[in-house]
Amino acid sequence: MAIKMLPREKVFRDPVHNYIHVQHQVILDLINTPEFQRLRRIKQLGVADYVFQGAEHTRFTHSLGVYEITRQICDNFAVNFPTKTPGDGLWDDNERLVALCAALLHDIGHGPYSHTFEHIFATDHEAITRRILTDESTEVNKILRGVAPDFPEQVASVIAHTYPNPQVVQMISSQIDADRMDYLLRDAYFTGTKYGDFDLARILRVMRPYQGGIGFDANGMHAVEDYIVGRFQMYQQVYFHPVSRSMEMILTHLLQRAKTLYEAGKFDTRYNPRLLIPFFEHQFDLKDYLRLDDGVLNTYFTYWLDYPDPVLKDLAGRFLSRRPLKSVAITDQTAALLPQLRALVSEAGFDPDYYTAENDSFDLPYDQYDPSVANPKTQIEIIQADGTLEELSTLSPLVAAISGKATGDKRFYFPKVMLSKNADDLFAGTYAKFQQYILNDTLIDPAFK
């Protein structure tokens, strides 16, 4: 395996980690590939900057941050826990480069507006990431092959969780990994919130390799607790913010409307989104995918501000000019009332297929390992003084209190005008009927008021 070091360390200035240190030529070469540079044009948090105006950071900066945390983990392991004999469960620093490459490239397959795009066009960013690594047409693959012929497949297997060393896999993907630690700190910084702050230096200090993966010294358990609580708060206050979800619904319906018009043969050719057509036709290749980014979609949306179809035109305007839908919380019981609300929205002149939506967002902040489930999670192991392992929630009442409990809500989205109090409006009576179903941001049955 050819490992070339830079003659002098390269650094990138970073607001979260201060400096990101690059010592390997292959890492610098990967950063400079077109496939990786494309991540500069894809926002990390999608539409969250419509709520938190500072959240304009990209998947490029996040990927560098994940690399840097992984580099620090490798340094700690190499100094404090180097392997002495094969199979002793300590760190073999020959694994460093595959870990660093996997950390850097773990998000390279994300598309524009990430998860919304995936939902509409049935793409899978993890599968595309692996393809970018292993497809001989990419610059990334060429550089990885320069390390060793099978190196692209090794890095891809880390992303796929099939790499034989669980320590490497858990650095990148586990309940407390470099990916999650960077995005919590980075998203907290750029959203201006403090929920995601935790003591990264302390967590890295108490991390230890063992035969089955990565654990944490018992004296660092409170730093791990702080991370779990911070993650819980970020999901509730930032990632699940109702207005962010509203803008995602508008984006979803905007793309869906364009797709529907195209599939019906009704798309005005003057406004054809040429780079999206392979996705409308379900016949895209990797080259088509890598041409897309947030800016490409926004350009098409700007063209569609003049589109003849009133729904596509209006949704494009709502998305570009931040006119979110309003929402109310619903339960399994009150969801039965939604047909009546959709009928009232239709009565007010809106197509309910495009101007109403249900959205649920739930997260499991921490869950104990259960080998019986289809995809068992790695658990957080606390390493006791005698070397035995204890699962975190058995030692922490705080983590036990939220373990296994999904948090979040389900909401119904609708046009803001449905809450209008203007008695002179043509649809004032319809609005009034609609408003009888809402009390304190919650959907209710007016029959039981």
Side-chain angles (χ1 to χ4, degrees):
M1 183 179 287
I3 301 178
K4 183 180 178 183
M5 306 303 289
L6 292 170
R8 182 181 177 185
E9 180 182 74
K10 171 81 173 175
V11 294
F12 294 80
R13 200 65 192 258
D14 185 72
V16 175
H17 304 299
N18 192 21
Y19 282 114
I20 290 168
H21 303 260
V22 175
Q23 293 127 354
H24 295 82
Q25 183 68 52
V26 66
I27 296 297
L28 187 60
D29 290 345
L30 289 169
I31 290 170
N32 288 329
T33 60
E35 296 91 359
F36 193 80
Q37 290 291 318
R38 168 182 162 274
L39 297 181
R40 290 182 184 272
R41 306 189 298 275
I42 298 176
K43 284 182 289 189
Q44 173 70 14
L45 286 183
V47 299
D49 61 323
Y50 282 106
V51 180
F52 304 96
Q53 73 275 6
E56 296 182 336
H57 56 302
T58 65
R59 294 203 174 269
F60 179 91
T61 60
H62 164 64
S63 296
L64 287 179
V66 177
Y67 156 82
E68 174 59 21
I69 292 177
T70 304
R71 186 195 67 80
Q72 292 181 34
I73 295 170
C74 290
D75 280 356
N76 170 41
F77 286 4
V79 169
N80 297 303
F81 308 103
T83 186
K84 303 290 195 302
T85 58
D88 61 7
L90 298 175
W91 176 247
D92 179 356
D93 210 39
N94 290 319
E95 301 278 28
R96 177 186 290 259
L97 193 59
V98 71
L100 294 181
C101 290
L104 183 73
L105 302 174
H106 78 286
D107 267 355
I108 202 168
H110 268 288
Y113 291 110
S114 299
H115 301 294
T116 303
F117 187 88
E118 282 195 19
H119 172 70
I120 294 295
F121 297 110
T123 58
D124 178 344
H125 74 272
E126 288 192 2
I128 291 173
T129 291
R130 296 192 295 271
R131 187 171 170 193
I132 292 169
L133 302 184
T134 58
D135 191 306
E136 293 191 2
S137 69
T138 69
E139 286 294 314
V140 165
N141 176 267
K142 179 181 177 182
I143 289 163
L144 294 175
R145 274 189 284 123
V147 177
D150 64 342
F151 195 61
E153 285 71 23
Q154 288 185 46
V155 178
S157 72
V158 178
I159 308 295
H161 307 164
T162 58
Y163 190 73
N165 186 338
Q167 295 166 355
V168 175
V169 173
Q170 288 181 30
M171 281 185 195
I172 316 302
S173 182
S174 60
Q175 292 207 44
I176 179 166
D177 56 31
D179 179 24
R180 287 168 173 80
M181 287 192 284
D182 183 81
Y183 77 59
L184 289 175
L185 292 172
R186 193 168 299 278
D187 295 349
Y189 178 89
F190 283 101
T191 57
T193 60
K194 301 298 180 186
Y195 310 112
D197 284 349
F198 59 90
D199 193 345
L200 174 65
R202 180 63 179 157
I203 287 180
L204 296 184
R205 183 68 187 166
V206 300
M207 264 187 161
R208 290 180 55 181
Y210 73 95
Q211 191 73 50
I214 294 174
F216 301 85
D217 284 331
N219 61 8
M221 187 181 76
H222 296 300
V224 177
E225 285 179 326
D226 193 33
Y227 157 86
I228 296 290
V229 173
R231 181 182 182 280
F232 169 82
Q233 293 282 14
M234 283 292 285
Y235 271 84
Q236 301 311 305
Q237 303 296 331
V238 176
Y239 304 137
F240 292 166
H241 195 288
V243 177
S244 289
R245 289 155 63 186
S246 172
M247 295 306 296
E248 286 175 4
M249 294 300 98
I250 291 173
L251 176 60
T252 298
H253 288 169
L254 171 57
L255 290 170
Q256 189 63 60
R257 181 62 174 176
K259 185 168 177 275
T260 298
L261 289 171
Y262 186 86
E263 289 174 345
K266 297 179 180 178
F267 209 95
D268 190 322
T269 55
R270 292 174 299 166
Y271 302 93
N272 256 359
R274 187 173 65 84
L275 299 182
L276 281 176
I277 288 174
F279 298 87
F280 289 162
E281 295 180 347
H282 309 286
Q283 292 182 333
F284 68 92
D285 59 23
L286 191 57
K287 195 172 182 180
D288 296 323
Y289 189 88
L290 290 171
R291 285 192 177 114
L292 297 182
D293 55 47
D294 293 357
V296 169
L297 293 195
N298 287 346
T299 299
Y300 289 137
F301 301 161
T302 303
Y303 290 155
W304 295 344
L305 292 174
D306 298 318
Y307 195 87
D309 178 73
V311 173
L312 188 67
K313 176 179 179 177
D314 180 65
L315 291 173
R318 284 174 181 267
F319 184 75
L320 292 173
S321 299
R322 194 195 180 275
R323 296 201 299 275
L325 300 172
K326 295 295 285 185
S327 68
V328 291
I330 59 176
T331 65
D332 290 342
Q333 291 71 38
T334 57
L337 300 170
L338 295 184
Q340 289 125 276
L341 270 70
R342 287 196 177 93
L344 290 169
V345 168
S346 178
E347 191 177 299
F350 297 94
D351 184 339
D353 287 342
Y354 293 102
Y355 291 93
T356 67
E358 293 174 61
N359 176 268
D360 56 39
S361 289
F362 291 93
D363 176 57
L364 205 59
Y366 184 75
D367 199 21
Q368 298 114 317
Y369 178 72
D370 180 359
S372 66
V373 300
N375 295 296
K377 296 182 179 181
T378 55
Q379 59 189 12
I380 297 178
E381 299 281 15
I382 304 300
I383 302 174
Q384 303 299 302
D386 64 357
T388 58
L389 304 176
E390 293 285 347
E391 188 271 319
L392 175 63
S393 67
T394 65
L395 300 172
S396 166
L398 182 60
V399 173
I402 60 175
S403 180
K405 296 178 176 65
T407 59
D409 67 356
K410 187 173 185 178
R411 303 188 74 84
F412 173 67
Y413 286 84
F414 54 86
K416 182 179 180 180
V417 72
M418 300 303 295
L419 301 180
S420 171
K421 303 289 186 184
N422 183 1
D424 297 327
D425 194 294
L426 176 64
F427 297 107
T430 302
Y431 301 155
K433 291 178 191 174
F434 186 91
Q435 291 162 29
Q436 291 177 358
Y437 288 88
I438 299 172
L439 180 66
N440 296 330
D441 190 41
T442 303
L443 182 62
I444 62 166
D445 189 336
F448 297 102
K449 263 189 177 179

